[in-house]
Amino acid sequence: MALSVPCYSPSFRKPPEVVRLRRKRARSRGAAASPPRELPEPAARRAALAAGLHLRPFPAAGGRGGGGGPAAARRNPFARLDNRPRVAAEPPDGLAREQLEAPGPFLDSNQENDLLWEEKFPEGTTVTELPQTSHVSFSESDIPSSENTELPVDWSIKTRLLFTSSQPFTWADHLKAQEEAQGLVQHCRATEVTLPKSIQDPKLSTELRCTFQQSLIYWLHPALSWLPLFPRIGADRKMAGKTSPWSNDATLQHVLMSDWSVSFTSLYNLLKTKLCPYFYVCTYQFTVLFRAAGLAGSDLITALISPTTRGLREAMRNEGIEFSLPLIKESGHKKETASGTSLGYGEEQAISDEDEEESFSWLEEMGVQDKIKKPDILSIKLRKEKHEVQMDHRPESVVLVKGINTFTLLNFLINCKSLVATSGPQAGLPPTLLSPVAFRGATMQILKARSVNVKTQALSGYRDQFSLEITGPIMPHSLHSLTMLLRSSQSGSFSAVLYPHEPTAVFNICLPVDKVLDREVVHKELTNCGLHPNTLEQLSQIPLLGKSSLRNVVLRDYIYNWRS
């Protein structure tokens, strides 16, 4: 009877025995240099394969020893739960490895976009994408070919801005009553303020703090303090449970829509006379951007609608509104410019019907027209319009209206029954009007700003990282004014993360330009629109961002780099 020896392991090998085993393996490798003989599969395995079960490949002879054959050594199946080979995680494009390891004190809670909207980039981005230094590194495809002292024009509405810098933003907190009042007066009187290139002590600069207050002001209609009126697309969850006395009161709904129509008409008249540069109409289904003549390189008033549906486009055709789909190329003989009253559209429909009848004439020639069921008119129409339905609610469905047709669009939107939701938390609530200047029935609003000081990890320990957060409907003029102001206050060095409202990112597409406008003439005509000359200069440029918008901005030594 064998005695059990304490601390004894049967698998233990003495050093001389280990050497003998290694020599034996070396001899076996030499013997295995010849092609391995394929072993027969067991009967149980053949039966499992015949039953349709998916099994691993049967190991070849000599594969376990790894002696010179192409077969790799078998991996431990219990190494990971998902039973897949371990792959080294690569950092995303445009972000350095140290950026991913940097701790981020902020998290984005913006989830207002519609679930139907397909986003190329997620809006919920954390500050961990910002480096520990005051700049963001970009991939080669994101960096512009030349460094610029100005940012490209961005017509999307931002919901949040997060600026970071190595210098504090404490000057933006707790404005004095006199500074706040002076900022409001400067905005109402469209006072032009030019700050120096660099401000030595921003906290003591009254001019800087007043200009900061001036940059945060915008105008809104309707104004209901207990309801978030922007964004409207996908806002049902935020509005759920809020008091809405007009939802079941037809009289109150009529009063709200009457006041809204007066405000909408007032804004359009200001735009037409070039006293308002642009404004937005935000509904629960789509957003409209109206721009004055001279902006975005166009010599006419333009209106962009996104996203749209086939039903909305068909209703616009029926009202005689001529529009185009800038992102859809011409296919066949059908033109993109559609008109509900033009003869071209009717002729195309007639030609299409004749082609459809000719396509079934061969059945009559064979005498089998009664035996084969032909598709009905409805299915033929749905098949033709399949591509139109597929682009609904997508950036490609953006619609462009120009010139006098924008006035027809104004009347269409005022009388459109589907402009206001009939059920849900937004039922009976008119669309939101956003403008950089005052208009009839508008309410002055101020963007929310707060500064935070956090500790970030550095090579030598921890150091201070300062940030400034701006939330609210941030329109293009506010973004440009804030970047000009921070360029002076932060000595030409800061970085920013921008969170756009995704359905408005497509407003940055480049529109077809008939002629090149004289910028001096444009600036002279838009002098009284209420914008700073530098901001007006930027908004008059032709958009270059396409269907995307600015996501990250870096200013270093007064030179901008950005990523969209």
mmCIF file of all heavy atoms in Angstrom, residues 73-100:
data_model
loop_
_atom_site.group_PDB
_atom_site.id
_atom_site.type_symbol
_atom_site.label_atom_id
_atom_site.label_comp_id
_atom_site.label_asym_id
_atom_site.label_seq_id
_atom_site.Cartn_x
_atom_site.Cartn_y
_atom_site.Cartn_z
ATOM 1 N N ALA A 73 -0.327 26.533 -31.951
ATOM 2 C CA ALA A 73 -0.618 25.837 -30.705
ATOM 3 C C ALA A 73 -2.035 26.160 -30.258
ATOM 4 O O ALA A 73 -2.512 27.278 -30.415
ATOM 5 C CB ALA A 73 0.383 26.236 -29.634
ATOM 6 N N ARG A 74 -2.683 25.144 -29.704
ATOM 7 C CA ARG A 74 -4.070 25.309 -29.288
ATOM 8 C C ARG A 74 -4.141 26.263 -28.108
ATOM 9 O O ARG A 74 -3.366 26.178 -27.168
ATOM 10 C CB ARG A 74 -4.657 23.960 -28.903
ATOM 11 C CG ARG A 74 -6.137 24.054 -28.541
ATOM 12 C CD ARG A 74 -6.673 22.687 -28.200
ATOM 13 N NE ARG A 74 -8.082 22.751 -27.830
ATOM 14 C CZ ARG A 74 -8.783 21.704 -27.420
ATOM 15 N NH1 ARG A 74 -8.190 20.525 -27.327
ATOM 16 N NH2 ARG A 74 -10.060 21.843 -27.100
ATOM 17 N N ARG A 75 -5.105 27.174 -28.174
ATOM 18 C CA ARG A 75 -5.261 28.169 -27.132
ATOM 19 C C ARG A 75 -6.168 27.633 -26.043
ATOM 20 O O ARG A 75 -7.058 26.827 -26.290
ATOM 21 C CB ARG A 75 -5.870 29.444 -27.732
ATOM 22 C CG ARG A 75 -6.032 30.583 -26.738
ATOM 23 C CD ARG A 75 -6.741 31.775 -27.418
ATOM 24 N NE ARG A 75 -8.027 31.365 -27.966
ATOM 25 C CZ ARG A 75 -9.141 31.277 -27.237
ATOM 26 N NH1 ARG A 75 -9.117 31.564 -25.952
ATOM 27 N NH2 ARG A 75 -10.275 30.897 -27.805
ATOM 28 N N ASN A 76 -5.934 28.110 -24.832
ATOM 29 C CA ASN A 76 -6.750 27.703 -23.702
ATOM 30 C C ASN A 76 -8.166 28.255 -23.873
ATOM 31 O O ASN A 76 -8.360 29.468 -23.908
ATOM 32 C CB ASN A 76 -6.138 28.211 -22.405
ATOM 33 C CG ASN A 76 -6.919 27.757 -21.181
ATOM 34 O OD1 ASN A 76 -7.847 26.970 -21.286
ATOM 35 N ND2 ASN A 76 -6.507 28.255 -20.026
ATOM 36 N N PRO A 77 -9.194 27.396 -23.988
ATOM 37 C CA PRO A 77 -10.560 27.915 -24.204
ATOM 38 C C PRO A 77 -11.131 28.634 -23.001
ATOM 39 O O PRO A 77 -12.140 29.314 -23.112
ATOM 40 C CB PRO A 77 -11.365 26.652 -24.536
ATOM 41 C CG PRO A 77 -10.622 25.552 -23.868
ATOM 42 C CD PRO A 77 -9.167 25.914 -23.936
ATOM 43 N N PHE A 78 -10.524 28.495 -21.827
ATOM 44 C CA PHE A 78 -11.022 29.148 -20.627
ATOM 45 C C PHE A 78 -10.295 30.453 -20.339
ATOM 46 O O PHE A 78 -10.449 31.026 -19.266
ATOM 47 C CB PHE A 78 -10.875 28.203 -19.423
ATOM 48 C CG PHE A 78 -11.592 26.904 -19.603
ATOM 49 C CD1 PHE A 78 -10.907 25.746 -19.946
ATOM 50 C CD2 PHE A 78 -12.963 26.848 -19.464
ATOM 51 C CE1 PHE A 78 -11.579 24.555 -20.116
ATOM 52 C CE2 PHE A 78 -13.640 25.635 -19.633
ATOM 53 C CZ PHE A 78 -12.948 24.498 -19.966
ATOM 54 N N ALA A 79 -9.468 30.920 -21.291
ATOM 55 C CA ALA A 79 -8.717 32.151 -21.051
ATOM 56 C C ALA A 79 -9.649 33.342 -20.951
ATOM 57 O O ALA A 79 -9.452 34.226 -20.127
ATOM 58 C CB ALA A 79 -7.698 32.370 -22.167
ATOM 59 N N ARG A 80 -10.717 33.424 -21.792
ATOM 60 C CA ARG A 80 -11.684 34.515 -21.755
ATOM 61 C C ARG A 80 -13.084 33.931 -21.877
ATOM 62 O O ARG A 80 -13.294 32.883 -22.474
ATOM 63 C CB ARG A 80 -11.439 35.514 -22.891
ATOM 64 C CG ARG A 80 -10.121 36.241 -22.781
ATOM 65 C CD ARG A 80 -9.967 37.235 -23.914
ATOM 66 N NE ARG A 80 -10.948 38.297 -23.815
ATOM 67 C CZ ARG A 80 -11.146 39.215 -24.762
ATOM 68 N NH1 ARG A 80 -10.451 39.172 -25.859
ATOM 69 N NH2 ARG A 80 -12.044 40.157 -24.598
ATOM 70 N N LEU A 81 -14.059 34.638 -21.342
ATOM 71 C CA LEU A 81 -15.425 34.133 -21.343
ATOM 72 C C LEU A 81 -16.019 34.104 -22.744
ATOM 73 O O LEU A 81 -16.814 33.241 -23.073
ATOM 74 C CB LEU A 81 -16.297 34.989 -20.416
ATOM 75 C CG LEU A 81 -15.951 34.887 -18.932
ATOM 76 C CD1 LEU A 81 -16.839 35.817 -18.132
ATOM 77 C CD2 LEU A 81 -16.099 33.462 -18.436
ATOM 78 N N ASP A 82 -15.655 35.129 -23.571
ATOM 79 C CA ASP A 82 -16.228 35.156 -24.911
ATOM 80 C C ASP A 82 -15.535 34.202 -25.860
ATOM 81 O O ASP A 82 -15.919 34.087 -27.019
ATOM 82 C CB ASP A 82 -16.198 36.580 -25.483
ATOM 83 C CG ASP A 82 -14.795 37.158 -25.490
ATOM 84 O OD1 ASP A 82 -13.876 36.449 -25.046
ATOM 85 O OD2 ASP A 82 -14.639 38.305 -25.936
ATOM 86 N N ASN A 83 -14.459 33.506 -25.391
ATOM 87 C CA ASN A 83 -13.808 32.460 -26.164
ATOM 88 C C ASN A 83 -13.296 32.956 -27.508
ATOM 89 O O ASN A 83 -13.427 32.295 -28.519
ATOM 90 C CB ASN A 83 -14.757 31.279 -26.371
ATOM 91 C CG ASN A 83 -13.966 29.995 -26.657
ATOM 92 O OD1 ASN A 83 -12.795 29.924 -26.334
ATOM 93 N ND2 ASN A 83 -14.625 29.012 -27.243
ATOM 94 N N ARG A 84 -12.751 34.165 -27.513
ATOM 95 C CA ARG A 84 -12.167 34.733 -28.724
ATOM 96 C C ARG A 84 -10.718 35.107 -28.461
ATOM 97 O O ARG A 84 -10.356 35.399 -27.322
ATOM 98 C CB ARG A 84 -12.942 35.970 -29.180
ATOM 99 C CG ARG A 84 -14.324 35.656 -29.710
ATOM 100 C CD ARG A 84 -15.020 36.923 -30.121
ATOM 101 N NE ARG A 84 -15.248 37.796 -28.977
ATOM 102 C CZ ARG A 84 -15.833 38.969 -29.064
ATOM 103 N NH1 ARG A 84 -16.223 39.427 -30.224
ATOM 104 N NH2 ARG A 84 -16.028 39.706 -27.982
ATOM 105 N N PRO A 85 -9.900 35.131 -29.504
ATOM 106 C CA PRO A 85 -8.497 35.512 -29.287
ATOM 107 C C PRO A 85 -8.407 36.931 -28.764
ATOM 108 O O PRO A 85 -9.180 37.805 -29.141
ATOM 109 C CB PRO A 85 -7.876 35.383 -30.688
ATOM 110 C CG PRO A 85 -8.809 34.491 -31.444
ATOM 111 C CD PRO A 85 -10.165 34.716 -30.867
ATOM 112 N N ARG A 86 -7.467 37.155 -27.885
ATOM 113 C CA ARG A 86 -7.276 38.475 -27.302
ATOM 114 C C ARG A 86 -6.581 39.382 -28.309
ATOM 115 O O ARG A 86 -5.532 39.039 -28.847
ATOM 116 C CB ARG A 86 -6.432 38.374 -26.026
ATOM 117 C CG ARG A 86 -6.316 39.689 -25.278
ATOM 118 C CD ARG A 86 -5.479 39.496 -24.035
ATOM 119 N NE ARG A 86 -6.110 38.538 -23.145
ATOM 120 C CZ ARG A 86 -7.005 38.869 -22.244
ATOM 121 N NH1 ARG A 86 -7.388 40.129 -22.125
ATOM 122 N NH2 ARG A 86 -7.549 37.953 -21.469
ATOM 123 N N VAL A 87 -7.188 40.538 -28.572
ATOM 124 C CA VAL A 87 -6.639 41.511 -29.505
ATOM 125 C C VAL A 87 -6.344 42.781 -28.748
ATOM 126 O O VAL A 87 -7.163 43.245 -27.959
ATOM 127 C CB VAL A 87 -7.620 41.805 -30.658
ATOM 128 C CG1 VAL A 87 -7.013 42.787 -31.628
ATOM 129 C CG2 VAL A 87 -7.983 40.498 -31.362
ATOM 130 N N ALA A 88 -5.181 43.334 -28.992
ATOM 131 C CA ALA A 88 -4.820 44.576 -28.296
ATOM 132 C C ALA A 88 -5.733 45.686 -28.736
ATOM 133 O O ALA A 88 -5.946 45.921 -29.919
ATOM 134 C CB ALA A 88 -3.366 44.938 -28.603
ATOM 135 N N ALA A 89 -6.300 46.393 -27.762
ATOM 136 C CA ALA A 89 -7.238 47.481 -28.059
ATOM 137 C C ALA A 89 -6.485 48.663 -28.627
ATOM 138 O O ALA A 89 -5.496 49.118 -28.070
ATOM 139 C CB ALA A 89 -7.985 47.890 -26.794
ATOM 140 N N GLU A 90 -6.983 49.149 -29.769
ATOM 141 C CA GLU A 90 -6.364 50.291 -30.408
ATOM 142 C C GLU A 90 -7.145 51.537 -30.072
ATOM 143 O O GLU A 90 -8.369 51.504 -30.030
ATOM 144 C CB GLU A 90 -6.321 50.105 -31.931
ATOM 145 C CG GLU A 90 -5.429 48.955 -32.381
ATOM 146 C CD GLU A 90 -3.967 49.227 -32.117
ATOM 147 O OE1 GLU A 90 -3.600 50.414 -32.041
ATOM 148 O OE2 GLU A 90 -3.196 48.273 -31.966
ATOM 149 N N PRO A 91 -6.497 52.647 -29.834
ATOM 150 C CA PRO A 91 -7.228 53.882 -29.559
ATOM 151 C C PRO A 91 -7.948 54.364 -30.789
ATOM 152 O O PRO A 91 -7.535 54.081 -31.906
ATOM 153 C CB PRO A 91 -6.111 54.868 -29.137
ATOM 154 C CG PRO A 91 -4.877 54.325 -29.768
ATOM 155 C CD PRO A 91 -5.044 52.836 -29.795
ATOM 156 N N PRO A 92 -9.049 55.091 -30.645
ATOM 157 C CA PRO A 92 -9.776 55.613 -31.803
ATOM 158 C C PRO A 92 -8.925 56.584 -32.598
ATOM 159 O O PRO A 92 -7.955 57.147 -32.106
ATOM 160 C CB PRO A 92 -10.995 56.317 -31.185
ATOM 161 C CG PRO A 92 -11.071 55.805 -29.785
ATOM 162 C CD PRO A 92 -9.680 55.423 -29.399
ATOM 163 N N ASP A 93 -9.354 56.752 -33.875
ATOM 164 C CA ASP A 93 -8.636 57.686 -34.735
ATOM 165 C C ASP A 93 -8.707 59.083 -34.173
ATOM 166 O O ASP A 93 -9.748 59.555 -33.769
ATOM 167 C CB ASP A 93 -9.229 57.663 -36.152
ATOM 168 C CG ASP A 93 -9.002 56.324 -36.813
ATOM 169 O OD1 ASP A 93 -8.083 55.611 -36.351
ATOM 170 O OD2 ASP A 93 -9.728 55.998 -37.760
ATOM 171 N N GLY A 94 -7.591 59.775 -34.226
ATOM 172 C CA GLY A 94 -7.554 61.164 -33.818
ATOM 173 C C GLY A 94 -7.366 61.369 -32.342
ATOM 174 O O GLY A 94 -7.296 62.493 -31.883
ATOM 175 N N LEU A 95 -7.271 60.313 -31.537
ATOM 176 C CA LEU A 95 -7.074 60.473 -30.108
ATOM 177 C C LEU A 95 -5.804 59.743 -29.708
ATOM 178 O O LEU A 95 -5.592 58.594 -30.049
ATOM 179 C CB LEU A 95 -8.260 59.911 -29.327
ATOM 180 C CG LEU A 95 -9.575 60.665 -29.502
ATOM 181 C CD1 LEU A 95 -10.664 59.964 -28.710
ATOM 182 C CD2 LEU A 95 -9.430 62.088 -29.038
ATOM 183 N N ALA A 96 -4.962 60.393 -28.984
ATOM 184 C CA ALA A 96 -3.730 59.785 -28.514
ATOM 185 C C ALA A 96 -4.021 58.846 -27.358
ATOM 186 O O ALA A 96 -5.053 58.912 -26.716
ATOM 187 C CB ALA A 96 -2.735 60.870 -28.085
ATOM 188 N N ARG A 97 -3.082 57.918 -27.085
ATOM 189 C CA ARG A 97 -3.281 56.951 -26.026
ATOM 190 C C ARG A 97 -3.381 57.614 -24.682
ATOM 191 O O ARG A 97 -4.162 57.208 -23.825
ATOM 192 C CB ARG A 97 -2.122 55.943 -26.044
ATOM 193 C CG ARG A 97 -2.324 54.770 -25.086
ATOM 194 C CD ARG A 97 -1.174 53.806 -25.203
ATOM 195 N NE ARG A 97 -1.050 53.316 -26.569
ATOM 196 C CZ ARG A 97 -1.703 52.286 -27.041
ATOM 197 N NH1 ARG A 97 -2.579 51.662 -26.271
ATOM 198 N NH2 ARG A 97 -1.526 51.892 -28.279
ATOM 199 N N GLU A 98 -2.599 58.668 -24.463
ATOM 200 C CA GLU A 98 -2.668 59.304 -23.150
ATOM 201 C C GLU A 98 -3.985 60.029 -22.943
ATOM 202 O O GLU A 98 -4.421 60.243 -21.813
ATOM 203 C CB GLU A 98 -1.515 60.283 -22.968
ATOM 204 C CG GLU A 98 -1.476 61.401 -24.022
ATOM 205 C CD GLU A 98 -0.625 61.021 -25.219
ATOM 206 O OE1 GLU A 98 -0.368 59.815 -25.380
ATOM 207 O OE2 GLU A 98 -0.201 61.909 -25.981
ATOM 208 N N GLN A 99 -4.680 60.366 -24.058
ATOM 209 C CA GLN A 99 -5.981 61.012 -23.902
ATOM 210 C C GLN A 99 -7.008 60.026 -23.379
ATOM 211 O O GLN A 99 -7.893 60.385 -22.618
ATOM 212 C CB GLN A 99 -6.460 61.574 -25.231
ATOM 213 C CG GLN A 99 -5.530 62.647 -25.792
ATOM 214 C CD GLN A 99 -5.954 63.058 -27.165
ATOM 215 O OE1 GLN A 99 -7.072 62.791 -27.565
ATOM 216 N NE2 GLN A 99 -5.089 63.699 -27.902
ATOM 217 N N LEU A 100 -6.914 58.761 -23.808
ATOM 218 C CA LEU A 100 -7.869 57.780 -23.349
ATOM 219 C C LEU A 100 -7.659 57.443 -21.881
ATOM 220 O O LEU A 100 -8.585 57.042 -21.198
ATOM 221 C CB LEU A 100 -7.745 56.507 -24.189
ATOM 222 C CG LEU A 100 -8.055 56.687 -25.677
ATOM 223 C CD1 LEU A 100 -7.864 55.367 -26.389
ATOM 224 C CD2 LEU A 100 -9.465 57.195 -25.868
#
